[in-house]
Amino acid sequence: MKCYHVNEQGYYGEFGGAFVPEILHKAVAELQQQYLRIIESEPFQQTFRQLLRDYVGRPSPLYLANRLSEKYGCKIYLKREDLNHTGAHKINNTIGQILIAREMGKQRIIAETGAGQHGVATATVCALMNMECVVYMGKTDVERQQPNVRKMQMLGATVVPVTSGNMTLKDATNEAIRDWCSHPADTYYIIGSTVGPHPYPDMVARLQSVISEEIRQQLQEKEQRDYPDYLLACVGGGSNAAGTIYHYLDDERVKIVLAEAGGKGIDSGESAATIQLGKSGILHGSRSLVMQNEDGQIEEPYSISAGLDYPGIGPMHAHLARTGRATVLAVTDDEALRAAFELTSMEGIIPALESAHALGALAKVRFDPGDVVVLNLSGRGDKDMETYLREIERFTNKD
Ligand SMILES: *Cc1c(COP(=O)(O)O)cnc(C)c1O
């Protein structure tokens, strides 16, 4: 049997590892040695579970979307991560990591953010735990994501605008790593997805795996079997997808479909279709598929969705794609928008633009009438209203 989980060295097949500057070796090694023990300990599990229940609002519902099911000719369940506190799956991870940071005696939290969702989720748990919080955010993103910047500030975080490179997520991540290098002893870096040096991809996947744990129980109740035929999720760095598929990785009855951002089309030069266009390389501490030119320079990604606009992908997902365990589809901006307006009008749920990419994949898969499909609705669309209002006429006044 193939192995889809991380090995002792932090690898998923050829991808993963921990490529960090000398000065961070100690901090990363310490985390590698401690994370499993902490996560599996009784006190951690108790506090983590209690906060997920009483603070985040878990378990998130598994909702049978009737009209959507009828349209696509199968049974479609939506895993409602959009109903979590702060509006997405990201809070599962930040709660877990801040508990780990506290256990390791760290005083100061840093994070990177693109659209601001991970920044808000981090600032939220820092307020909750009374910890200092510094969030690095590209200056371009600071300007176009003002509501999230204001939220982080109201929550007590310091938002540092990053002016290097394209002034977006990749540059914010570089800057966060630089900060970590200057304060390796007292600072804990909360990474927002299944990326970064080992153990981050595995640690984040485990913290998000509560999603598939709940899916198993909820399907057992609703379908009298604990597995679906298909799992669908969008991938930016890969954390919501990792959580959705975690407990099904070795169950070959379950087909995995991942949707990445096709932007204006994968041949347009404006996309973030990392798995289809990327080549093996090292970015932000691990080996994975990376969008790069012939000289190994990182290419600027593009997607209408800020949460998928990243030139890399988690090593776990690169491995799932390479081994054929997951099917990866590129969903364009327009396909995602169409799917978002469709879900809104048919089910009364406005999805995040990222989640709309997973919805956009529904039209690309041939389902059988009896198929049970679980699609992870990673977040809600409040933050995307400006984009939706700008595009609404193009998608709703037709036919
Ligand atoms: C950040 C974000 C994503 C993308 O990140 P992953 O780590 O790939 O899950 C997807 N959906 C929403 C709602 C997000 O906020």
Side-chain angles (χ1 to χ4, degrees):
M1 198 173 75
K2 286 194 189 109
C3 179
Y4 303 113
H5 287 273
V6 77
N7 70 14
E8 296 255 315
Q9 287 73 44
Y11 279 86
Y12 302 84
E14 67 184 283
F15 302 112
F19 299 83
V20 294
E22 185 63 33
I23 193 149
L24 284 181
H25 267 157
K26 193 157 163 264
V28 170
E30 188 191 2
L31 191 58
Q32 288 171 355
Q33 282 151 19
Q34 299 212 38
Y35 82 108
L36 281 180
R37 177 188 64 75
I38 296 174
I39 290 179
E40 286 165 3
S41 73
E42 191 55 40
F44 174 91
Q45 280 298 324
Q46 210 176 340
T47 314
F48 184 51
R49 300 282 158 172
Q50 184 224 324
L51 286 170
L52 289 181
R53 188 186 65 224
D54 300 338
Y55 188 73
V56 176
R58 305 202 71 91
S60 64
L62 186 69
Y63 164 68
L64 176 59
N66 277 308
R67 293 183 64 197
L68 209 61
S69 297
E70 204 165 302
K71 163 146 193 199
Y72 290 100
C74 58
K75 226 168 168 179
I76 301 174
Y77 285 97
L78 303 177
K79 182 61 174 160
R80 300 289 309 275
E81 294 298 300
D82 60 314
L83 296 177
N84 292 342
H85 181 42
T86 70
H89 65 289
K90 290 206 167 73
I91 191 88
N92 305 325
N93 170 45
T94 57
I95 288 199
Q97 285 200 56
I98 202 151
L99 293 176
I100 291 170
R102 207 172 59 166
E103 180 66 27
M104 292 175 71
K106 306 289 177 180
Q107 314 290 331
R108 179 173 175 269
I109 299 294
I110 57 171
E112 84 295 338
T113 197
Q117 294 300 104
H118 174 58
V120 169
T122 302
T124 298
V125 296
C126 286
L128 181 69
M129 299 293 169
N130 193 21
M131 292 240 230
E132 183 189 347
C133 181
V134 179
V135 179
Y136 290 91
M137 187 171 189
K139 186 161 164 282
T140 311
D141 291 331
V142 169
E143 282 158 12
R144 64 185 178 186
Q145 308 288 344
Q146 272 297 309
N148 276 341
V149 174
R150 296 270 182 267
K151 277 190 203 170
M152 287 185 265
Q153 289 167 339
M154 182 162 170
L155 287 159
T158 305
V159 179
V160 181
V162 174
T163 53
S164 55
N166 228 37
M167 307 189 221
T168 57
L169 179 57
K170 163 177 68 67
D171 314 294
T173 308
N174 288 337
E175 213 48 45
I177 293 173
R178 233 164 263 150
D179 177 312
W180 200 18
C181 289
S182 313
H183 311 88
D186 70 335
T187 295
Y188 182 97
Y189 179 16
I190 298 189
I191 296 185
S193 190
T194 42
V195 297
H198 177 64
Y200 280 99
D202 184 52
M203 179 167 65
V204 175
R206 282 172 189 263
L207 297 172
Q208 291 290 359
S209 72
V210 62
I211 299 173
S212 57
E213 190 182 306
E214 289 173 6
I215 291 173
R216 273 212 306 220
Q217 290 166 2
Q218 291 167 321
L219 277 181
Q220 183 63 43
E221 273 169 36
K222 292 171 199 294
E223 292 289 329
Q224 288 74 52
R225 63 178 231 208
D226 68 357
Y227 68 96
D229 298 294
Y230 286 90
L231 285 170
L232 263 72
C234 64
V235 267
S239 70
N240 88 88
T244 304
I245 64 184
Y246 192 84
H247 287 95
Y248 296 108
L249 280 170
D250 297 324
D251 186 344
E252 306 269 354
R253 296 171 301 186
V254 181
K255 300 177 197 74
I256 296 171
V257 179
L258 304 177
E260 60 177 4
K264 296 182 177 166
I266 62 167
D267 299 323
S268 68
E270 289 183 82
S271 87
T274 313
I275 296 179
Q276 312 212 9
L277 300 177
K279 291 183 289 251
S280 183
I282 291 167
L283 177 65
H284 298 144
S286 61
R287 175 170 289 283
S288 189
L289 294 171
V290 179
M291 287 174 56
Q292 52 190 314
N293 68 17
E294 256 130 60
D295 302 327
Q297 289 297 311
I298 305 304
E299 283 179 5
E300 287 303 334
Y302 162 81
S303 166
I304 194 169
S305 142
L308 304 182
D309 195 353
Y310 182 66
I313 175 78
M316 176 203 231
H317 306 71
H319 181 58
L320 292 173
R322 276 285 167 87
T323 54
R325 177 67 185 97
T327 303
V328 182
L329 302 172
V331 173
T332 64
D333 289 356
D334 280 3
E335 289 166 340
L337 285 166
R338 191 172 299 116
F341 289 117
E342 176 178 275
L343 184 75
T344 304
S345 68
M346 291 177 81
E347 300 286 347
I349 298 170
I350 301 177
L353 266 169
E354 292 82 7
S355 322
H357 285 71
L359 292 161
L362 285 171
K364 298 173 185 274
V365 182
R366 278 267 190 89
F367 298 110
D368 288 330
D371 282 342
V372 172
V373 177
V374 174
L375 185 149
N376 194 42
L377 205 66
S378 54
R380 58 182 173 240
D382 307 28
K383 66 186 178 59
D384 300 311
M385 284 315 294
E386 214 174 299
T387 307
Y388 286 148
L389 293 178
R390 195 170 60 230
E391 301 284 354
I392 192 162
E393 291 199 2
R394 215 153 56 83
F395 289 90
T396 52
N397 285 353
K398 283 195 195 140
D399 33 76

